[in-house]
Amino acid sequence: MNQKEINELRRRFRAERSNISRIYGCFVNTNREIVAHLDSSLALMKQEEVEAYLGHLKKCLSGGMGRNLIDIEFSTQQVVDSAEHRLLMALRDSHCQDDKARDELYGRIISSLKLEQNNYIILLAADAYDVPYRGSDDEDQADASAEVFNYFVCAVCPVKDATADLRFFYDVNELHVTSSGPVVDNTALGFLFPAFDDRRANIYNALYFARKPDELHEELINAVFRTEPPMSAPSQKNAFHTALSDALEGECSYAVVQSVNEQLRERIAEHKESKDPAALTLSTGEVGTILRSGGVSDKHVEAFTKSVEAEFGEDAVLMPTNLVDGKFEVVTPNVKITMSPEYSDMVETRVINGRKYILIPADEGLEVNGVAVEIREG
């Protein structure tokens, strides 16, 4: 799925736009026991309750591709004959009304998932999207339909313990300490099945969501999809940085790393300006070209390519958005310097009288602990 397709589905999660009629789910306690089931009609709910439920489900389509949103791909054999795919298809085809399928999914999630907050709720909802036909002008034709996209969304939401607060009661004009009761926290994990690719159903894929990119909960991915868990965004960045430092050896200079970061950011900026909905990816060959332009020898570029393929696979594609941060850091064992990436070219490294130095121009505006200071000669 690309960002445009994700945004199209996100707009569905409003009471007047979706065809979601019921919300299913369960409350799971600290002993991994279901203590309550949910099977409620949205038509009988208050408006604020409908918005709350749809809001938690909508969160499963939030964040960046490759970071919060992970493409899950099933093998052909899984689609043809596997328990995990049959379960997902049963939920989709029954619009989540198959109670045995719901219980099986709950069981898979509960038996595998490990959350810091022990209590949580599982939410399930099915939608039937009458996909508008889109003409050559890229505009939807309201009176024409391409197909009906049947799908469901599953959300896992931690539940925070009740907190006692001092509250004002207008009826008696008094303040009293009272508990607001357990509160459903932001959606932590979830998924959509099937994927919405080229604006139609793709039963070979699902879209997985994790609010924290460094906490994918691989145990849940394995329990529900039986697929190899993807490498998280932070792990991708660490593996990339390790490949740079190990493979480039003595050629891994400040200038090379600064050049790589700058060129990756330029690619990201150009992709953003192009408004291409597909996620930006680079092959190892393209990254190799970036390294060569920074002065790295062919020998070390080849070593880097082998190191990356060992970590990411032979047909590895890298996502630049996962490899660079919004800040640029220079770190020594005792000092950390943080700056905006646009100023990274101001830093120099030199060897003076046998000692290695980091040099930063400080012509004006220098402050130490908030105190303006001057630099004098001598």
Side-chain angles (χ1 to χ4, degrees), residues 261-280:
N261 274 263
E262 183 178 4
Q263 292 189 61
L264 289 177
R265 293 180 195 282
E266 288 177 356
R267 299 285 184 102
I268 294 171
E270 290 170 0
H271 183 265
K272 187 175 182 179
E273 290 179 4
S274 73
K275 300 188 183 301
D276 185 348
L280 173 63

Side-chain angles (χ1 to χ4, degrees), residues 205-224:
N205 290 74
L207 187 68
Y208 182 78
F209 165 78
R211 183 164 61 91
K212 297 180 179 180
D214 57 343
E215 296 180 12
L216 293 183
H217 286 276
E218 290 87 351
E219 74 277 9
L220 179 60
I221 294 174
N222 180 61
V224 175

Side-chain angles (χ1 to χ4, degrees), residues 74-89 104 108 224-226:
F74 295 101
S75 68
T76 300
Q77 183 57 43
Q78 282 182 294
V79 175
V80 171
D81 183 23
S82 70
E84 60 273 7
H85 200 270
R86 282 196 299 272
L87 171 60
L88 297 176
M89 289 297 292
E104 183 178 345
R108 288 185 178 222
V224 175
F225 307 110
R226 303 295 185 197

